[in-house]
Amino acid sequence: MNQLKHRHAGRWLYGVTICIAMIVSSEQSGAELPPVRVWGELGYDFRKDSFENGSDTLEHAAVARLNGSTYLYQPWIATLEGGIGLDLRRTERDTGDTDSDNITGYGRLRLAPRSRFPFEAFADVTDNRSDSDLAGLDVERTRYGFLQRYSTPGGTAYKLRYEHTDLVNNSTIAGGANDLREDEADLVQASFNKSFNAHNIYFDSQLNVVDRVNSPDKTETLFTSLRHTYSPGPMLSAEDMLTYNVTDLQQELADIKTGVLQLNSFGFWRPKTKRPLRINATLRALDRSTESGGSESSLQSSTGTVGATYQWSPRWVLSGSAGVTGIKGETDSELLTFQTATANYTSEPFKLGGFDAGWFAQTDLRNNTDDTGSLQSFGAQTGYNLR
C-alpha cells in the first residue's frame, strides 16, 4: 500500500515541479504571464441518524476542488486546464467505522483549439481508498492520451484517439492478507463522418487491449462499424449498418476467439398515391464464428421482410407483410417464411348515453412455413370505445 502511495505522490510532485519551472522560466525571461481563471468548490456535510432499535450512525463528508485554466501566448494557439479534487467521507457506527477517500486530478493541453485540426493531450488520476475494521480497498487509475481531429473544407470530419490506462486494485482483509491486481489497457480509435447531398457516411473503429500484469491473461477487442443513411425527403429514407466485432480472450489454459459480422438495413417509401401508402423493407444478416482449443464453429443467418400499409378509405386500413429467414449451422440448415394480412375498420363516432362512442373491428390472417410443414392462423376481434 505504501509503495502505491509513494508512486502516486511522485507523479504529482513531478507535475508540480514542471509547472513551477515553467512559471519561473517565464518570469526570468520577462515574459508576461497570461491571465489564469481559477474556480473551485469547498463543502462539508454532517449527518446523524438515531434509531430506537439498532446502532446510531454518524457521517462526516467533506469536498474540496480547485481548477484552473489559462492560455499560451494567444487563446487560439494553446490552452491549459487542470484541477485537483479531494472527497472525504467517514461513517461511524457502534459496529465499526468506515473511511472513504477519493483523490482526483486532471490536466488538458489543447493546441489550435479553434482551427480545423485541433489537438488535445489529456491525463487524469483517480485514487480511491476505503477502509473498515474488516477490510480495505485501494483503487488507483491513471489515464493519459491524445485526441486529434481534422475537418476538411468540404465538411468531412476525421478523428484519431489514443488512450492508455493503468489500473491497480489492492484489497486487504483484517488478517493482513492482500490481493494485488494490476491491469494495463490501450485504446486506439479512428473514425470519420462525411455528408453529401442526401447521404451521410459514418465509420468508426476501436481496438482495445487489456493486459493483466504478471499474468498470461489478455483480452483484445476490435469493434468496427460503418453506417450509411440516405434521406432525400420525408417520402423516402434508408439506413444501412455494417458491424464487425472480434474478441480474443487469452488465458493460461484457454484461448477463445469470437467474431461477429452483422448487416442491418431498413428503408421506407411513401409513394404519391390517392390514399396514404407506406412501404417498408428490412434486411438482417449475421455471420458468427468461434475458435477455442483447436476447434471451430460457425453460424450464418439472414432475414428479409417487406410490408405495406394502405388507407383504403377513411375507415379502412389494410396492411400486409412477408418475410423469409435462412439459418445455416455446422451440420444443418433451416428455411422459414411467413406472410400476414390485416384489415382494420373504425366506425364513425356517435353518441351513446352521453358518451362519445365508436366501434372497431380487426381481422388478420397468418401463414408460417418451415422445413416440417406449414401453419395457418386466423383471428378477429371487435369492440367499443367510450370517451
Side-chain angles (χ1 to χ4, degrees):
M1 183 75 71
N2 292 334
Q3 182 180 1
L4 295 176
K5 293 300 180 183
H6 291 329
R7 182 174 59 183
H8 177 68
R11 290 181 179 141
W12 282 108
L13 181 60
Y14 176 77
V16 173
T17 303
I18 293 297
C19 293
I20 295 176
M22 292 175 61
I23 295 175
V24 172
S25 176
S26 299
E27 291 180 348
Q28 291 178 351
S29 62
E32 182 179 355
L33 292 177
V36 179
R37 176 173 173 262
V38 180
W39 70 98
E41 178 183 1
L42 183 64
Y44 171 75
D45 181 70
F46 171 80
R47 178 174 179 176
K48 182 178 181 180
D49 295 324
S50 300
F51 304 94
E52 293 183 0
N53 298 321
S55 60
D56 297 342
T57 301
L58 187 65
E59 291 186 356
H60 302 269
V63 58
R65 293 187 179 91
L66 180 64
N67 304 279
S69 64
T70 185
Y71 59 84
L72 302 179
Y73 299 104
Q74 294 294 334
W76 53 269
I77 296 179
T79 61
L80 285 171
E81 181 181 333
I84 56 176
L86 178 63
D87 292 88
L88 304 177
R89 180 177 295 273
R90 178 177 176 83
T91 304
E92 300 177 3
R93 297 185 178 91
D94 296 339
T95 56
D97 301 337
T98 302
D99 293 320
S100 177
D101 304 335
N102 187 30
I103 303 174
T104 61
Y106 76 96
R108 289 187 180 90
L109 169 65
R110 297 182 177 92
L111 301 178
R114 302 178 184 179
S115 67
R116 289 189 288 106
F117 44 87
F119 174 85
E120 177 181 333
F122 58 87
D124 58 71
V125 176
T126 302
D127 192 346
N128 184 275
R129 182 182 64 179
S130 59
D131 294 312
S132 66
D133 296 337
L134 299 178
L137 177 63
D138 191 352
V139 179
E140 179 184 345
R141 191 194 73 164
T142 303
R143 185 177 68 103
Y144 59 86
F146 70 86
L147 175 63
Q148 177 67 67
R149 299 177 183 270
Y150 173 66
S151 299
T152 65
T156 304
Y158 297 89
K159 181 175 72 173
L160 177 64
R161 179 167 71 108
Y162 170 75
E163 183 178 304
H164 178 84
T165 302
D166 292 319
L167 183 63
V168 179
N169 287 269
N170 189 12
S171 59
T172 58
I173 59 177
N178 71 315
D179 181 18
L180 177 64
R181 171 168 176 167
E182 298 183 56
D183 292 306
E184 295 180 353
D186 292 282
L187 173 67
V188 179
Q189 179 188 15
S191 64
F192 80 85
N193 186 18
K194 181 177 180 60
S195 298
F196 59 96
N197 299 329
H199 298 269
N200 178 263
I201 299 176
Y202 177 76
F203 171 82
D204 181 80
S205 182
Q206 299 184 31
L207 174 63
N208 190 21
V209 180
V210 180
D211 191 359
R212 184 173 180 179
V213 180
N214 300 323
S215 172
D217 294 353
K218 185 178 181 181
T219 303
E220 297 182 5
T221 304
L222 173 66
F223 183 79
T224 303
S225 63
L226 177 63
R227 186 182 66 198
H228 169 256
T229 59
Y230 176 69
S231 182
M235 307 300 291
L236 177 64
S237 179
E239 179 175 344
D240 305 298
M241 172 74 80
L242 179 65
T243 60
Y244 180 57
N245 187 14
V246 178
T247 301
D248 189 359
L249 177 61
Q250 303 174 19
Q251 297 178 331
E252 185 176 1
L253 301 178
D255 188 355
I256 304 175
K257 185 176 182 179
T258 59
V260 178
L261 178 64
Q262 185 170 318
L263 171 66
N264 289 280
S265 298
F266 170 79
F268 73 85
W269 176 42
R270 295 189 181 98
K272 293 182 179 180
T273 56
K274 185 178 180 180
R275 296 290 185 180
L277 172 64
R278 175 188 169 102
I279 301 173
N280 57 271
T282 65
L283 174 64
R284 181 178 182 268
L286 175 70
D287 186 354
R288 183 175 62 194
S289 62
T290 303
E291 300 178 11
S292 177
S295 62
E296 299 182 4
S297 62
S298 62
L299 175 68
Q300 295 85 35
S301 66
S302 59
T303 301
T305 65
V306 61
T309 301
Y310 179 64
Q311 188 170 350
W312 184 43
S313 71
R315 300 300 165 193
W316 283 96
V317 177
L318 308 177
S319 61
S321 62
V324 57
T325 299
I327 303 174
K328 181 180 180 183
E330 289 291 324
T331 58
D332 55 2
S333 61
E334 188 176 8
L335 183 66
L336 305 93
T337 67
F338 76 89
Q339 303 83 36
T340 64
T342 304
N344 293 275
Y345 177 80
T346 305
S347 70
E348 290 278 359
F350 57 90
K351 290 291 184 179
L352 180 63
F355 292 93
D356 293 329
W359 66 276
F360 65 91
Q362 176 181 327
T363 181
D364 58 83
L365 300 170
R366 187 175 182 90
N367 178 59
N368 294 81
T369 66
D370 55 25
D371 294 342
T372 61
S374 62
L375 176 65
Q376 293 78 36
S377 61
F378 169 79
Q381 62 178 345
T382 184
Y384 274 94
N385 289 322
L386 296 177
R387 293 186 295 275

